[in-house]
Amino acid sequence: MPLDRSLFRHSTPLTVRNYEIDWQGIVHNANYLLYFEVGRIEYLKEIGVKVDIATIQGDSRVVVARNEIDYRSPARFGEELEVMTRISYIRNTSFAFEGIIEEVAGRRRISENVSVHVWLDGETGAPQRVGEDFRRLVAEFEGNNVRLEESG
């Protein structure tokens, strides 16, 4: 089932560059994961999460545990894309980003992504509760469009 565009409050513009194209003349499939990562980082910055080397290597770490991607239509060199990003749920030790990529001119759906992230203790690597500040920032930004749960 396609993701509901109306739930997304954040977007990041991208333009397809020449080195992202494969021998078929379309964006290589692995590049869509990079596009979604760009959207996630920009989302975090917008909601007020500090993203730098100190936070990435800090007391807590966040890792991708699962990445799902649906390819709807190929993107081509020079196309203007919009990467829409949201957090759909936060559980005890994990949370999920959802993403949509659309071609701007015709609103053609290019791809969709769901990525599950796990919050880890920076020293032991064991899963730990998603931080309260992070929960608050996401809840303030997403409002009723995010599920806050307590199970793993």
Side-chain angles (χ1 to χ4, degrees), residues 34-46:
L34 297 173
Y35 295 168
F36 286 118
E37 177 69 9
V38 168
R40 289 191 295 263
I41 294 299
E42 293 305 315
Y43 173 96
L44 292 172
K45 289 180 188 176
E46 182 171 321

Side-chain angles (χ1 to χ4, degrees), residues 56-123:
I56 291 169
Q57 296 178 344
D59 295 337
S60 298
R61 297 216 171 106
V62 176
V63 297
V64 176
R66 180 181 182 118
N67 237 333
E68 301 173 25
I69 190 163
D70 291 318
Y71 302 98
R72 304 286 183 202
S73 179
R76 292 179 170 75
F77 173 69
E79 285 187 321
E80 300 289 325
L81 305 179
E82 180 180 16
V83 181
M84 292 165 274
T85 308
R86 69 185 288 261
I87 291 179
S88 58
Y89 70 74
I90 300 176
R91 294 183 177 155
N92 186 35
T93 62
S94 65
F95 60 96
F97 275 105
E98 293 180 347
I100 297 172
I101 298 174
E102 289 184 350
E103 179 266 331
V104 173
R107 304 280 8 129
R108 178 172 43 95
R109 182 78 50 111
I110 302 293
S111 186
E112 298 176 353
N113 173 248
V114 176
S115 62
V116 177
H117 300 250
V118 178
W119 203 276
L120 301 177
D121 180 279
E123 194 171 305

